[in-house]
Amino acid sequence: MNMHSERFERVRSRIKAACEAAGRNVAEVELIAVSKLHSAAAVRSLYSLGQRAFGENRLQEALAKQRELTDLDISWHFIGPVQSNKTREIAGHFDWVQSLDRLKVINRLSRQRPEGMPPLNVCLQVNIDGEPQKAGAAPGDVWALAESAAGAPRLCLRGLMCIPRLTDDEDRLRRSFARMRELFLKLRADGFNLDTLSMGMSADLEIAVAEGSTMVRVGTDLFGPRGA
Ligand SMILES: *Cc1c(COP(=O)(O)O)cnc(C)c1O
């Protein structure tokens, strides 16, 4: 018995139930397995159950895991802060970058994406609750960044990502997710061809799905606590 099968099934049935409650098709919500601080063996185990998309937030850790998993057909998502001196390696080793929030990084990733690879899928990270220490662009800066990312030759702008303020207050979370959806729909109405609204983690994926998420990023509830 695979050690991850119970957790995997539980998370998938939560997503399914959340979609049903929201009157949405389960195919509209993709699950990204956030494997940060978990081993390559854990990734392999989840892969064997059918999971294909994995998220990592630290470059060196991700590269080490990738070297052990070259035989697997994984879609790798970079979801952590992007330092500009790391863009070359990120551009060459990931399928998606969900955490873009600066023009400089947009330009570097586009310039450095290797010719032999398809355009890099990207999301703009939005600091939706305006938290001073948190990564992400201010909502008002998203248009200018979206123009740049959409025009970058080696990037494919897919959508928006957020990590809302840590809180137990469900109404507050719901309002943050709802503001993300409004932003997403406004950008689409302005002609940006976006299909991805990446929001929702272990603790709040139901609320995110109810508010229109198309991609949930789950770590703890798939792999167990980190550093345990
Ligand atoms: C760690 C992380 C997650 C997963 O969080 P869990 O609460 O463990 O599900 C999702 N998104 C980002 C950007 C993360 O860094």
Side-chain angles (χ1 to χ4, degrees), residues 80-156:
V82 183
Q83 295 166 260
S84 45
N85 62 343
K86 303 282 173 61
T87 51
R88 186 174 298 280
E89 282 190 290
I90 292 173
H93 289 93
F94 286 83
D95 301 287
W96 285 69
V97 175
Q98 295 202 18
S99 40
L100 281 190
D101 62 1
R102 287 182 294 147
L103 184 58
K104 183 179 179 184
V105 164
I106 289 172
N107 291 333
R108 288 177 68 97
L109 286 172
S110 180
R111 214 163 49 233
Q112 295 169 342
R113 178 70 168 174
E115 277 305 323
M117 298 175 88
L120 179 63
N121 295 299
V122 298
C123 292
L124 300 173
Q125 184 175 350
V126 182
N127 186 355
I128 194 63
D129 292 310
E131 296 171 272
Q133 306 303 333
K134 195 164 256 171
D141 293 337
V142 167
W143 264 260
L145 291 174
E147 292 276 2
S148 304
R154 301 289 295 138
L155 303 185
C156 180

Side-chain angles (χ1 to χ4, degrees), residues 46-97:
L46 210 58
Y47 184 96
S48 74
L49 297 172
Q51 179 65 26
R52 291 294 177 268
F54 289 83
E56 290 280 340
N57 71 338
R58 293 209 191 110
L59 178 63
Q60 295 312 321
E61 180 190 339
L63 294 178
K65 256 171 251 183
Q66 289 176 355
R67 280 192 291 273
E68 291 187 53
L69 300 167
T70 50
D71 56 316
L72 305 186
D73 180 27
I74 289 178
S75 176
W76 290 103
H77 290 236
F78 192 80
I79 60 174
V82 183
Q83 295 166 260
S84 45
N85 62 343
K86 303 282 173 61
T87 51
R88 186 174 298 280
E89 282 190 290
I90 292 173
H93 289 93
F94 286 83
D95 301 287
W96 285 69
V97 175

Side-chain angles (χ1 to χ4, degrees), residues 32-34 36 38 56-57 79-81 98-99 125 161-163 198 200-204 216-222 224 226:
I32 309 299
V34 178
K36 64 184 184 196
H38 291 282
E56 290 280 340
N57 71 338
I79 60 174
Q98 295 202 18
S99 40
Q125 184 175 350
M161 183 272 257
C162 76
I163 309 169
S198 174
M201 318 199 300
S202 292
D204 57 17
V216 294
R217 309 176 311 270
V218 178
T220 307
D221 285 0
L222 282 173
R226 289 179 284 273

